[in-house]
């Protein structure tokens, strides 16, 4: 049987969507495919496998690779959310193995790892560095350039994700309810949040938070509302943003210490919607890290994580 050979298959799988890309030897993307969530904590093992297969098949189709044709892949990186423990790693590797078998593909060098870790190692090319992602959630990975890898945060919206969009939005809702009680000062957030959700009164907001319509993404989107209120001079919003800055700095500073790279030259890469949409948080974090750490270079990027996952894959042996 004739087999089609490709250089790299890179997959970025998360809690809401999965992206697969086919890459040639020059690093050029020749095919992309999308599917739903592939975090097995969200979809279950079968749902994760299904999403991986769908995304890869769509990428093959986009690259002009016919379905049911045998394919050789030199290297593959499955950078997936939900790999946070040793047990997660075992479970996810089994899911990927099942997906590869269903696709009938042969892979020369296969890597399965946490999506954020993969993006960090791709961005830094295995040199010392830190990646902080603050979107709906928040997480940081650090690498000392040798064998030490440190992960902090990323414990999810129920018990963690401090400084994230969701965390900021949750503080905003709590501040509005405190205002209604008389335990907190007046804030523009009450008016702006009601407008955001097309609610008529605060009671509607409260009822929504305990309804089936409540979603982490919707609360995370309130980070932009807090930023708007801050620009209008709202002191409550400034306190929320300042608290978010402190939480994000704590993630970075602790990661630097645990990775033991205080004396090294290294990059801190900050990424995610919180930095993209809120310049106050971005500027505060960048400025204070550069002031406190002598040899650090802070880089902000709007590149999609898949770009760094591709870089990670291309250097695999």
């Amino acid at each position: 049987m004739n087999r089609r050979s490709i250089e790299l298959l890179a997959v970025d799988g998360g809690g809401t969507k999965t992206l697969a890309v086919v890459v040639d030897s020059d690093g050029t993307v020749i095919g992309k495919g999308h599917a739903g969530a592939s975090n097995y904590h969200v979809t279950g093992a079968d749902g994760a496998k299904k999403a991986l297969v769908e995304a890869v098949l769509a990428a093959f189709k986009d690259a002009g690779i016919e379905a049911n044709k045998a394919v050789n892949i030199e290297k593959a990186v499955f950078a997936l959310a939900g790999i946070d423990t040793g047990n997660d790693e075992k479970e996810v590797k089994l899911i990927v193995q099942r997906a590869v078998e269903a696709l009938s593909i042969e892979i020369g060098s296969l890597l399965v790892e946490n999506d954020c870790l993969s993006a960090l190692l791709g961005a830094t090319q295995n040199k010392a560095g830190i990646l902080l992602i603050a979107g709906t959630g928040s997480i940081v990975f650090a690498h000392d350039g040798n064998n030490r890898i440190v992960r902090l945060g990323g414990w999810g919206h129920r018990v963690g994700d401090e400084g994230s969009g969701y965390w900021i939005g949750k503080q905003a809702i709590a501040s509005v309810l405190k205002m209604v009680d008389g335990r907190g000062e007046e804030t523009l957030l009450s008016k702006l949040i009601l407008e955001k959700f097309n609610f008529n009164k605060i009671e509607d907001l409260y009822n929504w938070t305990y309804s089936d319509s409540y979603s982490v993404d919707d609360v995370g989107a309130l980070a932009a509302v807090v930023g708007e209120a801050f620009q209008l001079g709202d002191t409550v919003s400034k306190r929320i943003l300042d608290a978010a800055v402190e939480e994000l700095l704590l993630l970075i500073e602790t990661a630097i210490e645990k990775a033991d790279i205080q004396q090294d030259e290294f990059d801190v890469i900050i990424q995610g919607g919180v930095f993209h949409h809120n310049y106050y948080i971005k500027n505060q974090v960048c400025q204070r890290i550069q002031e406190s750490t002598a040899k650090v270079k802070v880089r902000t990027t709007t590149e999609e994580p898949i770009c760094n996952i591709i870089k990670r894959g291309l250097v695999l042996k």
Side-chain angles (χ1 to χ4, degrees), residues 258-279:
K258 291 187 75 172
D260 195 22
I261 55 175
Q262 300 94 322
Q263 306 306 317
D264 299 338
E265 292 184 1
F266 64 93
D267 289 350
V268 171
I269 303 160
I270 61 175
Q271 189 174 52
V274 167
F275 298 115
H276 183 64
H277 297 295
N278 194 301
Y279 291 105

Side-chain angles (χ1 to χ4, degrees), residues 134-189:
T136 304
S138 62
I139 191 169
V140 64
F141 270 90
H143 184 232
D144 72 348
N146 294 304
N147 297 316
R148 181 180 300 177
I149 295 168
V150 173
R151 170 195 181 275
L152 288 85
W155 297 117
H157 69 281
R158 291 186 179 179
V159 293
D161 285 348
E162 294 87 353
S164 69
Y166 176 83
W167 186 89
I168 291 169
K170 185 172 69 171
Q171 307 307 309
I173 293 172
S175 295
V176 169
L177 297 179
K178 281 186 175 182
M179 182 199 80
V180 171
D181 278 351
R183 294 181 293 133
E185 66 188 87
E186 291 290 321
T187 173
L188 291 172
L189 290 170

Side-chain angles (χ1 to χ4, degrees), residues 46-296:
D46 289 339
K49 175 210 159 191
K50 180 174 180 288
L52 293 175
V53 170
E54 285 182 3
V56 172
L57 286 176
F60 285 172
K61 182 178 180 181
D62 191 43
I65 300 170
E66 294 181 37
N68 302 319
K69 292 288 185 180
V71 179
N72 281 323
I73 297 171
E74 296 294 327
K75 307 168 185 176
V77 178
F78 284 76
L80 306 177
I83 305 178
D84 300 315
T85 67
N87 184 66
D88 288 336
E89 186 175 358
K90 292 178 184 177
E91 292 289 335
V92 174
K93 284 183 175 179
L94 286 174
I95 291 166
V96 171
Q97 180 182 336
R98 289 173 55 211
V100 168
E101 290 170 353
L103 288 162
S104 298
I105 57 180
E106 291 188 5
I107 299 172
S109 180
L110 172 63
L111 177 65
V112 179
E113 66 185 2
N114 179 281
D115 55 338
C116 298
L117 174 61
S118 197
L120 168 63
L121 297 178
T124 61
Q125 295 295 284
N126 289 321
K127 296 178 182 177
I130 290 176
L131 172 64
L132 169 66
I133 299 178
T136 304
S138 62
I139 191 169
V140 64
F141 270 90
H143 184 232
D144 72 348
N146 294 304
N147 297 316
R148 181 180 300 177
I149 295 168
V150 173
R151 170 195 181 275
L152 288 85
W155 297 117
H157 69 281
R158 291 186 179 179
V159 293
D161 285 348
E162 294 87 353
S164 69
Y166 176 83
W167 186 89
I168 291 169
K170 185 172 69 171
Q171 307 307 309
I173 293 172
S175 295
V176 169
L177 297 179
K178 281 186 175 182
M179 182 199 80
V180 171
D181 278 351
R183 294 181 293 133
E185 66 188 87
E186 291 290 321
T187 173
L188 291 172
L189 290 170
S190 58
K191 175 177 180 291
L192 294 178
I193 292 175
L194 293 184
E195 289 176 352
K196 170 73 174 177
F197 291 137
N198 293 316
F199 293 151
N200 295 316
K201 53 187 182 298
I202 300 299
E203 186 177 328
D204 296 335
L205 173 63
Y206 168 75
N207 289 334
W208 172 78
T209 61
Y210 290 97
S211 74
D212 292 338
S213 299
Y214 178 90
S215 79
V216 171
D217 287 341
D218 284 339
V219 175
L222 291 179
V225 175
V226 178
E228 179 185 350
F230 165 73
Q231 292 294 331
L232 294 171
D234 186 65
T235 57
V236 171
S237 295
K238 183 178 186 301
R239 281 202 297 272
I240 293 172
L241 297 183
D242 284 337
V245 167
E246 295 301 327
E247 294 289 354
L248 296 173
L249 286 170
L250 182 60
L251 279 172
I252 295 173
E253 290 164 355
T254 307
I256 291 171
E257 182 178 344
K258 291 187 75 172
D260 195 22
I261 55 175
Q262 300 94 322
Q263 306 306 317
D264 299 338
E265 292 184 1
F266 64 93
D267 289 350
V268 171
I269 303 160
I270 61 175
Q271 189 174 52
V274 167
F275 298 115
H276 183 64
H277 297 295
N278 194 301
Y279 291 105
Y280 179 75
I281 289 180
K282 173 184 169 183
N283 292 338
Q284 286 289 307
V285 169
C286 290
Q287 178 181 331
R288 289 179 57 185
I289 283 296
Q290 288 171 327
E291 288 173 351
S292 64
T293 308
K295 299 180 181 179
V296 68

